[in-house]
Amino acid sequence: MLTITRNIAIPEDELEENFVRASGPGGQNVNKVSTAVQLRWDAVNSRALPPGVLDRLLRLAGHRATQEGVIIIDARAHRSQERNRADARERLAGLVRDALHVPRKRRPTRPSKGAKERRIQSKKKRGSVKQARGRVSTD
């Protein structure tokens, strides 16, 4: 089980891990051992998510989500397979945690009457300062 919160966990049978060769750190080992991890999770068909979270999750996942709703996390930052595996799982858990947060609805606001008046007065003052910069007549 991949634990997201106290109440939410993704079962192991829903996660699919593929190990591939990775460029980057590893020295000569990089040519022999498949250390990069590609973690796949079919979020659309998952029974782990509460209702309403799936849409936010797919929007947050962006290019990491396929058309079918499969989320793919690619981890290749570390030299060992285990650290990449843990990194991929933690990134997936963080993504789901972010999707659990319901954003507050924005309420449109308007400037107050006093704020409008102060703005107009400052514009008039600035305009008079600029107008006073004209040429000095020699009369």
Side-chain angles (χ1 to χ4, degrees), residues 25-65:
Q28 292 177 348
N29 207 33
V30 92
N31 299 325
K32 298 184 283 185
V33 182
S34 299
T35 55
V37 178
Q38 197 176 58
L39 181 66
R40 294 172 162 268
W41 178 49
D42 191 359
V44 172
N45 297 321
S46 176
R47 55 192 183 275
L49 290 179
V53 177
L54 180 63
D55 293 332
R56 284 194 302 275
L57 177 65
L58 293 176
R59 204 171 324 117
L60 280 173
H63 68 277
R64 293 173 286 199

Side-chain angles (χ1 to χ4, degrees), residues 4-133:
I4 309 298
T5 63
R6 261 186 314 176
N7 304 328
I8 300 172
I10 300 172
E12 283 293 327
D13 63 332
E14 290 186 8
L15 297 175
E16 179 188 329
E17 293 175 332
N18 295 322
F19 300 100
V20 293
R21 289 194 181 143
S23 60
Q28 292 177 348
N29 207 33
V30 92
N31 299 325
K32 298 184 283 185
V33 182
S34 299
T35 55
V37 178
Q38 197 176 58
L39 181 66
R40 294 172 162 268
W41 178 49
D42 191 359
V44 172
N45 297 321
S46 176
R47 55 192 183 275
L49 290 179
V53 177
L54 180 63
D55 293 332
R56 284 194 302 275
L57 177 65
L58 293 176
R59 204 171 324 117
L60 280 173
H63 68 277
R64 293 173 286 199
T66 64
Q67 293 280 338
E68 296 80 33
V70 177
I71 295 177
I72 302 170
I73 305 289
D74 197 36
R76 54 180 67 227
H78 303 288
R79 289 177 66 141
S80 74
Q81 193 178 74
E82 272 308 308
R83 285 178 65 189
N84 282 332
R85 190 169 178 251
D87 182 39
R89 288 170 170 259
E90 185 52 43
R91 285 174 31 204
L92 177 62
L95 192 64
V96 175
R97 271 188 225 108
D98 290 345
L100 290 172
H101 177 259
V102 181
R104 285 191 304 192
K105 189 170 182 178
R106 182 188 176 277
R107 293 160 91 213
T109 58
R110 290 188 174 156
S112 65
K113 188 175 181 181
K116 286 181 183 178
E117 288 173 5
R118 286 190 298 273
R119 179 177 160 270
I120 297 298
Q121 288 305 318
S122 69
K123 287 172 75 72
K124 283 183 179 178
K125 186 178 176 185
R126 185 75 182 142
S128 65
V129 166
K130 288 186 171 190
Q131 200 164 17
R133 290 185 189 153

